[in-house]
Amino acid sequence: SIQSVQRLFQPEEVQGLDWGILLMVVTGLGCLLTAKYVGAVAKKTNSFALRSNEQHLMVDFWTNIGVILALAVSKLTGWKYA
């Protein structure tokens, strides 16, 4: 957390945008597919715990989408301090 505060005042250039985007797409798809599977099992077994897990995985998926968008903006605009 100290390092994150320091980077607010002394930003470092983002590196490896292509790899970052690729990794986030792969993990995002993994979250989405896993969430759909867990959701199907939750419906089949009427499990509130699995339903909750499905929702958590969907939050992770949407977070990945946000990170992908931020990385894409950095790549397309040349803004390297996102």
Side-chain angles (χ1 to χ4, degrees), residues 21-39 53-54 56-62 64-65 68:
I21 292 170
L22 177 64
L23 181 63
M24 293 309 295
V25 167
V26 170
T27 58
L29 287 173
C31 284
L32 180 62
L33 294 173
T34 304
K36 294 302 177 185
Y37 175 75
V38 170
N53 196 12
E54 174 196 16
H56 179 109
L57 287 163
M58 287 305 298
V59 168
D60 289 346
F61 168 74
W62 289 111
N64 283 359
I65 296 298
I68 291 167

